[in-house]
Amino acid sequence: MGKVNNTNTGTAAATTTTEKPAEPEFQAKLIIEDDVFQKIMHWVHKAAEKRLECSGLGKVVYDEATNVFRVVDAIMVKQENTGSTTEMDPNAIGEAMYKLKDSEGMLNWWWHSHVKMDVFWSGTDHDAIRQLGGPGWFLATVFNVFEEMRSCYYQAKPFRIFADHLETEVERQIDEDLIT
């Protein structure tokens, strides 16, 4: 892209620049409710005892006013697991969609574990996110046994977005009876 520098003589000289325009930041946030996080961590630890990964889906509610996605429920479906892969059964996904159709939120969140590895997106993870996201938007979070997590937002249309390192927090809830 050319840049025009004006000089005191009134002439213009075209120069080029190698600066890239700043990419817009994706300003959304993901909140995982504490009971959902505890349920997932239970599954992650149980699978890790057998040195296996595990995965599931979750219901998400989006608040447009605050640009916050809130995970309100998570499920685990029938799947094939190894120490480095997890593949959910497509029929089980369909059953989950039907069972959860009347509950709050959209089934637009995929979670899975990397046992004791770092939290990152493998090529297989990217493929799964694109497949699960289909033509709409989708969220994904990868966990490990150290309770580390990494989340992303994916959108296919009207243009493709993959926003990594989505700000994610677990919303802890304290039982009122414990603090009175």
Side-chain angles (χ1 to χ4, degrees):
M1 177 148 122
K3 184 175 171 183
V4 176
N5 293 333
N6 289 321
T7 63
N8 289 338
T9 62
T11 61
T15 61
T16 59
T17 180
T18 57
E19 292 178 26
K20 287 185 178 180
E23 292 191 24
E25 285 189 39
F26 189 78
Q27 296 294 326
K29 180 177 184 178
L30 179 64
I31 295 176
I32 303 171
E33 293 185 352
D34 190 47
D35 59 333
V36 174
F37 179 77
Q38 296 302 327
K39 187 174 8 177
I40 290 170
M41 291 315 301
H42 170 77
W43 291 326
V44 167
H45 286 282
K46 291 303 264 182
E49 289 173 4
K50 299 176 183 178
R51 297 187 178 117
L52 298 174
E53 287 192 357
C54 62
S55 63
L57 299 169
K59 297 285 289 221
V60 177
V61 174
Y62 176 63
D63 182 349
E64 190 173 343
T66 60
N67 209 20
V68 170
F69 295 93
R70 176 179 295 276
V71 179
V72 296
D73 197 6
I75 58 165
M76 182 185 281
V77 298
K78 182 179 174 185
Q79 57 198 264
E80 294 291 325
N81 310 72
T82 71
S84 61
T85 63
T86 174
E87 187 172 332
M88 295 183 293
D89 180 278
N91 290 331
I93 293 172
E95 289 172 18
M97 292 170 71
Y98 180 77
K99 286 179 187 174
L100 297 172
K101 68 180 173 48
D102 296 326
S103 65
E104 179 185 30
M106 298 173 64
L107 199 61
N108 281 40
W109 184 56
W110 173 54
W111 64 268
H112 74 288
S113 68
H114 277 186
V115 192
K116 293 184 178 182
M117 295 187 296
D118 288 335
V119 290
F120 65 95
W121 305 114
S122 69
T124 303
D125 295 342
H126 280 280
D127 291 343
I129 291 165
R130 280 191 296 273
Q131 183 180 15
L132 290 166
W137 62 266
F138 211 76
L139 298 158
T141 304
V142 58
F143 297 90
N144 65 20
V145 296
F146 309 113
E147 299 192 2
E148 297 169 328
M149 58 188 155
R150 181 171 176 174
S151 299
C152 70
Y153 170 90
Y154 171 79
Q155 168 184 304
K157 292 183 180 179
F159 47 86
R160 189 174 303 243
I161 296 173
F162 181 83
D164 196 3
H165 295 284
L166 184 64
E167 181 183 352
T168 304
E169 74 178 49
V170 174
E171 187 173 76
R172 305 290 182 177
Q173 309 222 342
I174 299 175
D175 186 342
E176 291 293 324
D177 294 335
L178 296 176
I179 57 175
T180 57

